[in-house]
Amino acid sequence: MGRATVRAALQTFLTGTPGITTLYKDAPWEMTGDNWQTNSLPGTPGFLHLDHSSESRIALGGEHGGLKQIDYTASLVLLYQYVIPSTVASKDVWVDGLDSLLDAVVTRIRSNRAANTDGTIVFEAGNQDQGIQISQDLPHWDHGGGKVRNWVRVEFKVTEIVPA
């Protein structure tokens, strides 16, 4: 197992979350416009980034037995974009889609603590103390392009248990 296996499991688990149009396994070197909009609806590409990992021994019976617990800090970086329609009733309607997206992501992470694995790849995800945290930048308006953009980071803890 290891980083690549954990990342692949998380990507598979989070793919198909409502509102995410494309999910990359880490930051792509290029993204084109088709990653965002579908029929002028808000769309969001995202990527996974494993920010940090640490290892601890779980030993019963001394130094020659036991398991290793590997804790990762995973970030799902969401690149939210809303195309401003020509007529709108409210100038802050763009945030409705973002709130729905974030609720869908958190609901997905909560839906299965082992990220739809049998527990041998991901022991638990987002289930630890302060297991899910959201950091959101201030919105950016592209007045010339008629868009509102907001980058968001959903950080969640992931634990893998491996033989020592």
Side-chain angles (χ1 to χ4, degrees):
M1 293 180 274
R3 294 177 71 84
T5 306
V6 169
R7 184 189 314 271
L10 294 174
Q11 183 183 23
T12 298
F13 177 61
L14 293 169
T15 294
T17 301
I20 298 178
T21 52
T22 305
L23 182 58
Y24 295 96
K25 61 183 173 182
D26 209 324
W29 61 81
E30 178 182 46
M31 278 194 281
T32 57
D34 60 347
N35 283 282
W36 275 277
Q37 301 309 129
T38 306
N39 299 328
S40 298
L41 296 174
T44 305
F47 63 86
L48 286 164
H49 184 73
L50 298 180
D51 300 331
H52 179 79
S53 64
S54 64
E55 235 176 83
S56 303
R57 178 173 288 282
I58 305 169
L60 297 173
E63 65 183 79
H64 301 293
L67 302 168
K68 291 286 244 175
Q69 175 177 325
I70 305 168
D71 293 309
Y72 298 91
T73 302
S75 287
L76 173 61
V77 179
L78 301 169
L79 311 172
Y80 180 80
Q81 178 174 277
Y82 177 82
V83 175
I84 301 168
S86 56
T87 58
V88 291
S90 172
K91 300 216 185 276
D92 60 359
V93 69
W94 67 269
V95 78
D96 295 344
L98 179 58
D99 287 342
S100 294
L101 171 68
L102 293 175
D103 288 345
V105 167
V106 170
T107 296
R108 181 66 179 148
I109 294 169
R110 287 178 186 156
S111 73
N112 188 297
R113 68 181 243 168
N116 277 357
T117 70
D118 63 1
T120 60
I121 297 171
V122 174
F123 177 72
E124 64 181 347
N127 201 44
Q128 305 86 330
D129 183 40
Q130 297 185 23
I132 302 171
Q133 298 181 46
I134 298 174
S135 300
Q136 181 177 335
D137 289 341
L138 289 170
H140 170 76
W141 289 270
D142 176 359
H143 296 290
K147 297 172 184 155
V148 179
R149 293 187 181 104
N150 202 224
W151 302 161
V152 181
R153 187 174 126 201
V154 179
E155 182 181 285
F156 57 105
K157 297 177 183 177
V158 179
T159 300
E160 176 187 28
I161 305 291
V162 297

